[in-house]
Amino acid sequence: MLAFAVRRVLLIVSIVWAISFGAFVSFGLSFDPTYGYVFDTSAQGREYRQQLIAQFHLHDPILTRYWLWLRGLFSHGFGHTVLVGRGFPGSAIGPAVLSAAEVTAQLVATGLVLVVAGSVVIGAIGARWPGTPLDALLRLLAYAAWSVPTFLVGILLARWLWPTGWFYYGPPGGGFVRWVRTMTLPAVTLSVGLIGVYSRYLRSAMLVSLGRPYAVVARAKGLSERRVLCRHVLRNSLIPFVSALSLELAGVVGASLATDYVFGMGGLAELFLSSLTQADPFAMTAILVAIGGSVGFFILLADLAVGWLDPRARAEPAR
């Protein structure tokens, strides 16, 4: 299991490095941090522009700038923002990115917990009583939930439930109760559509597993249908379920950015829009690295879960 985890970590680190390279080169060639001073002919404006060029090595080739950025990443973090017209130098990028990434990670983790729990409950009910009116109703609700965009779900929930006064708006924090009241609507917004599609996926996998020989043998030994379903069928059905969900994790993180923006949670979405408005390539690179790292972290958790559920997944490949 350790070797399996190490291979996955090395793969994710290489992917995040590739993201950092692509983001730094793309933003470095597309945005000019000194643009605000190009038309400022005053002595102070020219001085600020030369300071920016010298500090961020803007006259160096882009690959040289990336190497300097990467080398300073382990000693100086993500560096400082380019605050044109607000003084020089800017504020540190790292603390703001880490704080926003923490909010986004909390939202994604809470949403995934709801997705797994909701999919297991609805999928198990559908597999236990297939073809019944209850199963038909759950299928209808699942298809309806999957067809509605995430941002629209958030807007509707905010319009319907915020007037009750129970839910809070803004960043989560201030104790467990306040965290729950702040996180509930965003997490439900993020998870409702995924529950709709993956509950159907889990139901289909469980129906197939119910016809497998091990389920037939378990019934022949006298186990009840509920025990067969929960003890044998569910675990084997979770293997393809978790594998399929791991392929959706990048989309889940992307949907969390829309949810973050709708509910004003102060996550990576708001920070990215702020950096985009200021045309700050260094802050935008740091945010994309944080997003890539978040996706990689949750993919790693999904891979470890698959390896725990199915020992064949962590076996060494045949030479």
Side-chain angles (χ1 to χ4, degrees), residues 14 42 59 97 149 152 171 249 265 305 318:
S14 63
S42 64
H59 282 168
V97 171
L152 182 57
L249 287 176
M265 302 184 69

Side-chain angles (χ1 to χ4, degrees):
M1 188 68 177
L2 180 60
F4 174 78
V6 170
R7 292 198 303 269
R8 289 299 186 271
V9 169
L10 292 177
L11 177 62
I12 291 171
V13 169
S14 63
I15 293 174
V16 173
W17 170 79
I19 291 173
S20 71
F21 178 78
F24 189 93
V25 172
S26 299
F27 294 140
L29 295 177
S30 302
F31 296 101
D32 180 8
T34 68
Y35 183 77
Y37 293 119
V38 170
F39 304 104
D40 189 349
T41 58
S42 64
Q44 187 181 41
R46 291 196 300 269
E47 180 184 359
Y48 277 163
R49 187 169 187 269
Q50 293 304 317
Q51 287 178 341
L52 289 173
I53 292 174
Q55 179 175 358
F56 296 109
H57 306 277
L58 299 180
H59 282 168
D60 294 341
I62 189 65
L63 295 181
T64 302
R65 288 157 54 187
Y66 175 73
W67 169 246
L68 294 173
W69 178 84
L70 186 65
R71 188 175 64 181
L73 185 64
F74 301 98
S75 56
H76 305 295
F78 289 112
H80 293 76
T81 59
V82 181
L83 297 182
V84 177
R86 300 183 184 179
F88 183 88
S91 58
I93 296 174
V97 171
L98 290 178
S99 177
E102 181 182 357
V103 173
T104 299
Q106 292 180 37
L107 175 59
V108 173
T110 307
L112 288 177
V113 169
L114 294 181
V115 169
V116 173
S119 299
V120 167
V121 171
I122 297 175
I125 293 175
R128 180 64 179 85
W129 296 286
T132 62
L134 178 60
D135 182 37
L137 176 62
L138 292 177
R139 274 187 293 173
L140 177 62
L141 294 177
Y143 295 144
W146 178 241
S147 64
V148 181
T150 301
F151 73 91
L152 182 57
V153 174
I155 293 174
L156 293 176
L157 289 179
R159 182 179 296 272
W160 294 338
L161 298 180
W162 261 340
T164 63
W166 197 90
F167 300 100
Y168 289 137
Y169 177 92
F176 178 73
V177 175
R178 183 178 179 88
W179 182 90
V180 171
R181 296 173 69 174
T182 305
M183 188 64 69
T184 298
L185 288 184
V188 171
T189 299
L190 181 62
S191 62
V192 64
L194 294 171
I195 292 175
V197 64
Y198 283 101
S199 63
R200 309 313 306 158
Y201 187 90
L202 185 59
R203 172 186 178 274
S204 300
M206 294 180 73
L207 287 175
V208 172
S209 297
L210 282 170
R212 295 291 175 84
Y214 65 84
V216 177
V217 172
R219 293 191 193 96
K221 289 183 177 181
L223 294 182
S224 64
E225 193 69 18
R226 182 180 62 83
R227 293 196 64 185
V228 172
L229 189 73
C230 298
R231 187 172 180 177
H232 298 281
V233 171
L234 179 59
R235 174 164 181 164
N236 287 279
S237 300
L238 283 176
I239 297 171
F241 167 78
V242 175
S243 299
L245 184 59
S246 66
L247 300 177
E248 189 76 24
L249 287 176
V252 174
V253 175
S256 72
L257 300 180
T259 306
D260 167 33
Y261 180 78
V262 170
F263 291 96
M265 302 184 69
L268 290 172
E270 292 190 6
L271 190 61
F272 182 81
L273 292 176
S274 174
S275 302
L276 183 62
T277 302
Q278 298 175 2
D280 190 338
F282 308 103
M284 294 172 66
T285 300
I287 293 169
L288 283 191
V289 170
I291 293 174
S294 300
V295 174
F297 173 74
F298 288 108
I299 289 178
L300 175 62
L301 292 182
D303 288 342
L304 294 178
V306 171
W308 175 71
L309 291 168
D310 185 6
R312 295 171 299 179
R314 59 177 186 265
E316 290 287 343
R319 296 186 182 276

